[in-house]
Amino acid sequence: MKIVIDPGHGAPDSGAVGPTGTREADINLKVAHALAKELAARGHIASLTRSGTGRLYRDDRAADLRSRPAFANRTNASCFISLHCNAAANSAAQGFEVYTTRGRDRSDPLAAAIFEAWNCMFPQQRKRADMSDGDADKESDFVVLRTCNVPAVLIEMGFISNPEEERFLLAPDNHEKIAAAISNGLEAWNDNARNA
């Protein structure tokens, strides 16, 4: 497979900030590097939309957001994975989420496979699902998903605003486990698509 990994945000946009000052953009990038390494070890081709701390279009957020799925479209990737950390005013909010665009499309099986693999890797973490259409993914009109021509999901790995989940997101061991969980989901999705 050829996978485009999108570490959300990037300087000057830190994304959400945790109670101890942890920046979402930094966590997203660390997990993206771990995921790229894990996928390469499994024989896949992984590319990052950003490999450094800054976003591609420093002074133009809209152009930066458009450039991320455009990279996946241009390279005819197998899929696009955007990594994020959630946040809420209520510091007790917690859990994992995976998003697709509105309505059922070919991204839904990818989201379902990642959701299941995450649940296997982190059974104790709360999973925030929307089962109203028969599957666990949540749906939103995120630009990085809406303008992507390949199967695309946005993963909220946890709430950086929750002290316990901030610690979870900071732990290097968890970066490797997250990478393994997403890779397991990607391979399950790919196997299912080939056998369909």
Side-chain angles (χ1 to χ4, degrees):
M1 285 186 292
K2 189 191 307 183
I3 300 107
V4 170
I5 305 165
D6 174 42
H9 305 283
D13 174 13
S14 67
V17 178
T20 67
T22 306
R23 295 179 299 192
E24 176 191 356
D26 297 340
I27 298 297
N28 298 342
L29 186 61
K30 288 176 181 176
V31 173
H33 282 297
L35 178 56
K37 182 178 176 182
E38 177 70 21
L39 288 167
R42 296 183 187 209
H44 305 294
I45 299 167
S47 303
L48 275 63
T49 57
R50 69 175 176 97
S51 56
T53 57
R55 62 188 187 195
L56 297 178
Y57 291 86
R58 183 173 179 82
D59 299 321
D60 190 337
R61 182 175 182 268
D64 181 72
L65 288 174
R66 288 192 306 271
S67 73
R68 296 169 189 247
F71 176 64
N73 296 341
R74 190 171 59 251
T75 58
N76 196 28
S78 306
C79 61
F80 174 88
I81 309 292
S82 190
L83 298 172
H84 289 263
C85 304
N86 218 333
N90 179 357
S91 64
Q94 60 180 295
F96 162 86
E97 298 170 327
V98 59
Y99 282 87
T100 60
T101 53
R102 298 186 192 284
R104 293 190 60 83
D105 66 14
R106 59 194 180 132
S107 298
D108 286 33
L110 173 60
I114 291 173
F115 189 95
E116 180 59 32
W118 192 284
N119 191 41
C120 289
M121 184 67 70
F122 304 109
Q124 302 306 316
Q125 185 185 24
R126 179 180 177 200
K127 314 303 178 302
R128 299 166 66 97
D130 176 4
M131 300 302 294
S132 61
D133 63 349
D135 54 25
D137 64 292
K138 293 192 163 192
E139 298 178 349
S140 190
D141 200 30
F142 295 126
V143 171
V144 294
L145 300 182
R146 187 181 73 239
T147 61
C148 205
N149 298 332
V150 303
V153 298
L154 186 146
I155 298 170
E156 296 280 9
M157 300 177 283
F159 278 74
I160 203 168
S161 52
N162 177 303
E164 184 179 342
E165 289 206 328
E166 182 190 33
R167 287 191 295 276
F168 165 83
L169 292 164
L170 277 168
D173 285 355
N174 287 332
H175 300 166
E176 293 180 10
K177 289 178 182 175
I178 289 169
I182 295 171
S183 296
N184 290 344
L186 284 165
E187 290 186 333
W189 165 73
N190 190 49
D191 289 346
N192 289 338
R194 280 203 318 249
N195 296 327

